[in-house]
């Protein structure tokens, strides 16, 4: 029997974010966020879905924590909706909003589940967008105040803090590609937003360290391994560019205190480089306790033309577990062998509920199994990987795709809001129980064997 057993202190968790699951978008004094505004404008979201109700987690959090307990989940990564706490982004805190997170955290602790808090998972207060959002340096102070308030209130109960979730998506999709709110197509503002996000991260880490708080602090980046489509020089260069744009633009300043040169030169030539003030890069480089990695797939890059940096490629997305291994090894090699948590990994499928209320999501089980094995190999080869958070606990509002993409290990019937455990939920519970994967008990194999037996039985009946 092959065993993929993880270190004793390895942590198995699940992840969600506030806007994607909470609903109650305007209840108990919550202010409007950029996502509230964006989804209410027709045509922005598939099917014109909104997160107004989402999974109604705001009212059903106890049930969701019970599900986690049943699945023996050890840590829960969720985010705080900034506008529940400060409806306009700053000013007087909203007691009711704070109460919700305190109740949730107490409920988790009672169930022996460690709270992992993301401070910013994309839902900026609309009032702050009106002064330019992340492209305006002024909002960094507001983010610091929000973080300080949360640190003070939740101080000793939070196991890990994550300043930002995927700052590259916030900056690029929000300010350059026009896909997410504020839906701008302004590369200069995008690069400024990226810089300000990183700077706000550094400031909050400094604050955390100055306050001498318990717990750990880090950031979650969406990283992928980039491979050239063909072994041509042109494609190799395109891959290098994509790597600077997607990965290194965030990793290098965080760990090395500079921006990668090829992209920086390109931006400068076009006059769209960010304004960097004295001391900014020092602040961004403030040491963190861990790096969070969100990994879904690889990018395959093919040169198109070299007129712009970003459009110099074609990207292909496919399941590619080996990419997770390659990425982890690369981070170990290039970035100080920092402790790592995989803070998101998962797959969306067109899950179907059977008549007897089951979801046989074999493809998800396969995906998880293959990636978890690669994570194990990375640890074997010296990576300081400390935990794994599956995206996601439940099906939820998948941003511009609305409810059309199901990522959960728990199925949600969006009409009744009933939760139903998928096969992958039991698979993951067994992974947690075994602290890894025991090859011969894998569901995939069990099912393959059942299939073989079925075929054999049919064959024999002839
Ligand atoms: C990531 C986001 C997360 C979720 C997954 C599928 O980019 O951080 O909120 O949407 O993708």
């Amino acid at each position: 029997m092959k065993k993929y057993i993880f270190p004793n202190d390895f942590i198995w968790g699940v992840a969600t974010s506030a806007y994607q699951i909470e609903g109650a978008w305007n209840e108990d004094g919550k202010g409007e966020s950029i996502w509230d505004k964006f989804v209410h404008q027709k045509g922005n979201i598939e099917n014109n879905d909104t997160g107004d109700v989402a999974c109604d987690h705001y009212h059903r959090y106890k049930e969701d924590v019970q599900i986690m307990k049943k699945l023996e989940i050890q840590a829960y990564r969720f985010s705080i909706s900034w506008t529940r706490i400060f409806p306009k982004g700053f000013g007087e805190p909203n007691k009711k909003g704070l109460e919700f997170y305190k109740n949730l955290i107490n409920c988790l602790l009672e169930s022996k589940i460690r709270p992992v808090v993301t401070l910013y998972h994309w839902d900026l207060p609309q009032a702050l967008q009106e002064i330019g959002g992340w492209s305006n340096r002024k909002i960094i102070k507001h983010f610091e105040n929000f973080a300080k308030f949360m640190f003070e209130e939740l101080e000793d109960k939070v196991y890990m803090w994550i300043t930002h979730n995927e700052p590259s998506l916030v900056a690029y999709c929000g300010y350059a590609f026009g896909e997410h709110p504020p839906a701008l197509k302004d590369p200069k503002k995008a690069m400024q937003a990226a810089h300000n996000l990183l700077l706000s991260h550094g400031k909050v880490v400094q604050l955390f360290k100055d306050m001498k708080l318990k717990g750990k602090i880090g950031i979650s980046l969406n990283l992928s391994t980039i491979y050239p489509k063909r072994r041509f020089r042109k494609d190799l260069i395109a891959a290098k560019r994509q790597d600077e744009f997607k990965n290194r633009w965030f990793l290098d300043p965080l760990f090395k205190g500079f921006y990668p040169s090829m992209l920086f030169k390109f931006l400068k030539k076009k006059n769209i480089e960010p304004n960097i003030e004295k001391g900014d890069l020092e602040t961004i480089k403030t040491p963190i306790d861990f790096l969070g990695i969100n990994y879904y797939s690889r990018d395959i890059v093919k040169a198109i033309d070299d007129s712009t940096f970003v459009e110099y490629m074609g990207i292909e997305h496919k399941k590619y577990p080996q990419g997770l291994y390659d990425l982890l090894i690369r981070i170990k090699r290039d970035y100080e062998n920092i402790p790592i948590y995989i803070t998101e990994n998962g797959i969306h499928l067109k899950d179907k509920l059977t008549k007897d209320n089951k979801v046989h999501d074999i493809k998800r089980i396969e995906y998880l199994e293959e990636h978890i094995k690669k994570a194990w190999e990375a640890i074997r080869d010296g990576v300081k990987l400390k935990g794994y958070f599956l995206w996601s606990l439940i099906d939820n509002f998948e941003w511009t795709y609305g409810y059309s993409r199901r990522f959960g290990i728990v199925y949600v019937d969006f009409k009744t809001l009933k939760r139903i455990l998928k096969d992958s939920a039991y698979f993951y519970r067994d992974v947690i129980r075994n602290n890894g994967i025991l090859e011969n008990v894998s569901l995939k194999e069990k099912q393959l064997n059942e299939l073989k037996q079925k075929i054999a039985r049919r064959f024999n009946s002839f």
Side-chain angles (χ1 to χ4, degrees):
M1 183 203 301
K2 191 149 189 313
K3 290 183 183 175
Y4 297 83
I5 305 298
F6 283 67
N8 283 336
D9 59 352
F10 194 81
I11 287 180
W12 299 99
V14 285
T16 64
S17 86
Y19 188 72
Q20 293 177 277
I21 64 164
E22 284 179 4
W25 76 282
N26 59 358
E27 272 181 56
D28 292 339
K30 181 183 167 298
E32 190 187 40
S33 80
I34 53 173
W35 273 92
D36 292 319
K37 180 161 178 164
F38 189 67
V39 301
H40 292 144
Q41 291 159 348
K42 294 260 170 293
N44 282 340
I45 310 291
E46 213 167 302
N47 208 21
N48 286 324
D49 288 339
T50 75
D52 290 0
V53 178
C55 309
D56 196 30
H57 174 77
Y58 188 73
H59 298 113
R60 295 167 197 246
Y61 71 90
K62 287 189 185 145
E63 183 188 345
D64 292 336
V65 173
Q66 282 318 302
I67 293 175
M68 284 189 255
K69 190 174 171 190
K70 185 169 167 191
L71 295 178
E72 302 175 32
I73 305 285
Q74 299 167 345
Y76 175 47
R77 175 183 173 221
F78 61 96
S79 77
I80 308 261
S81 151
W82 188 340
T83 55
R84 270 196 209 291
I85 309 294
F86 293 105
K88 296 217 171 307
F90 57 91
E92 277 304 299
N94 172 32
K95 279 206 189 98
K96 286 250 172 183
L98 180 62
E99 210 176 280
F100 167 69
Y101 293 108
K102 286 199 165 170
N103 291 341
L104 168 64
I105 288 177
N106 288 337
C107 192
L108 288 166
L109 292 173
E110 276 162 26
S111 300
K112 304 220 170 2
I113 300 169
R114 298 172 203 212
V116 174
V117 172
T118 310
L119 286 167
Y120 187 75
H121 201 123
W122 306 359
D123 43 358
L124 188 76
Q126 177 59 31
L128 295 184
Q129 192 58 59
E130 268 141 41
I131 58 162
W134 288 109
S135 66
N136 181 352
R137 220 179 142 100
K138 280 203 183 117
I139 78 159
I140 297 175
K141 195 78 215 149
H142 296 311
F143 184 60
E144 275 181 75
N145 290 337
F146 163 54
K148 182 158 186 277
F149 182 75
M150 297 321 300
F151 290 157
E152 280 165 355
E153 290 294 331
L154 308 178
E155 211 185 333
D156 48 348
K157 295 188 169 171
V158 172
Y159 180 64
M160 276 159 62
W161 296 88
I162 293 167
T163 53
H164 283 287
N165 179 68
E166 305 189 353
S168 74
L169 252 91
V170 175
Y172 300 160
C173 293
Y175 295 77
F177 305 149
E179 289 165 0
H180 287 181
L184 302 180
K185 288 190 178 164
D186 183 333
K188 168 117 185 123
K189 282 197 175 147
M191 297 325 282
Q192 194 60 51
H195 179 71
N196 292 347
L197 282 154
L198 285 168
L199 185 57
S200 74
H201 154 85
K203 295 258 187 206
V204 166
V205 176
Q206 273 181 352
L207 178 77
F208 185 84
K209 301 281 168 189
D210 290 348
M211 287 170 79
K212 302 209 177 336
L213 299 176
K214 293 209 302 211
K216 302 178 211 151
I217 193 160
I219 186 168
S220 285
L221 302 180
N222 52 312
L223 302 174
S224 64
T225 15
I226 322 265
Y227 305 89
K229 176 126 185 133
R230 304 157 299 183
R231 291 261 134 213
F232 295 167
R233 195 181 134 74
K234 265 166 70 173
D235 283 8
L236 289 169
I237 294 174
K240 207 168 165 225
R241 286 182 166 200
Q242 170 72 347
D243 185 44
E244 286 203 2
F245 182 66
K246 191 161 180 180
N247 299 323
R248 288 185 52 202
W249 196 256
F250 298 86
L251 287 165
D252 285 5
L254 284 167
F255 291 99
K256 301 184 171 164
F258 56 76
Y259 284 112
S261 59
M262 212 161 59
L263 179 51
F264 201 87
K265 270 190 209 135
F266 174 86
L267 298 176
K268 227 176 144 130
K269 212 167 85 196
K270 297 238 162 191
N271 247 326
I272 53 171
E273 82 278 18
N275 296 326
I276 302 172
E277 293 183 12
K278 202 162 161 260
D280 284 2
L281 287 160
E282 256 327 286
T283 305
I284 295 172
K285 208 180 135 214
T286 309
I288 45 180
D289 300 314
F290 65 89
L291 174 68
I293 294 181
N294 297 352
Y295 177 84
Y296 289 90
S297 65
R298 66 175 163 176
D299 291 1
I300 294 184
V301 176
K302 184 175 152 205
I304 299 171
D305 81 84
D306 58 1
S307 57
T308 66
F309 197 88
V310 177
E311 284 155 14
Y312 191 76
M313 65 201 66
I315 302 169
E316 213 176 79
H317 287 285
K318 274 197 184 136
K319 170 176 92 168
Y320 193 65
Q322 182 60 32
L324 176 61
Y325 175 87
D326 293 350
L327 176 64
L328 291 168
I329 296 289
R330 186 250 180 125
I331 301 290
K332 166 178 172 270
R333 186 194 64 207
D334 295 350
Y335 301 99
E336 308 165 8
N337 201 6
I338 177 99
I340 297 174
Y341 289 83
I342 294 169
T343 41
E344 285 182 27
N345 178 236
I347 185 174
H348 67 90
L349 295 174
K350 298 227 169 307
D351 296 312
K352 291 270 170 302
L353 201 59
T354 62
K355 283 200 187 102
D356 56 346
N357 272 343
K358 301 241 159 41
V359 181
H360 302 307
D361 53 341
I362 308 300
K363 283 226 161 74
R364 181 169 292 107
I365 294 175
E366 275 175 14
Y367 179 98
L368 296 172
E369 186 169 319
E370 287 164 24
H371 284 81
I372 291 170
K373 282 181 185 169
K374 287 294 167 191
W376 181 88
E377 285 176 16
I379 297 176
R380 180 199 62 196
D381 297 343
V383 174
K384 286 197 216 144
L385 182 64
K386 301 288 180 195
Y388 174 91
F389 291 79
L390 192 163
W391 185 274
S392 177
L393 170 66
I394 42 178
D395 293 338
N396 56 47
F397 179 82
E398 181 47 32
W399 310 112
T400 49
Y401 301 100
Y403 298 101
S404 69
R405 291 194 166 187
R406 293 180 178 274
F407 271 94
I409 51 172
V410 175
Y411 183 91
V412 177
D413 176 336
F414 287 106
K415 287 201 192 90
T416 61
L417 296 171
K418 204 170 159 232
R419 278 86 162 128
I420 294 150
L421 303 195
K422 302 181 192 176
D423 286 356
S424 57
Y426 296 106
F427 162 80
Y428 194 47
R429 182 201 57 193
D430 289 348
V431 170
I432 299 171
R433 269 192 193 161
N434 295 326
N435 195 25
I437 291 174
L438 310 176
E439 187 102 285
N440 72 342
V441 295
S442 88
L443 230 145
K444 189 178 127 197
E445 275 193 21
K446 242 164 75 186
Q447 261 153 358
L448 259 171
N449 286 338
E450 278 167 17
L451 200 72
K452 276 186 202 151
Q453 282 167 12
K454 220 168 149 184
I455 295 170
R457 273 201 301 274
R458 275 206 194 145
F459 192 71
N460 291 339
S461 66
F462 277 110

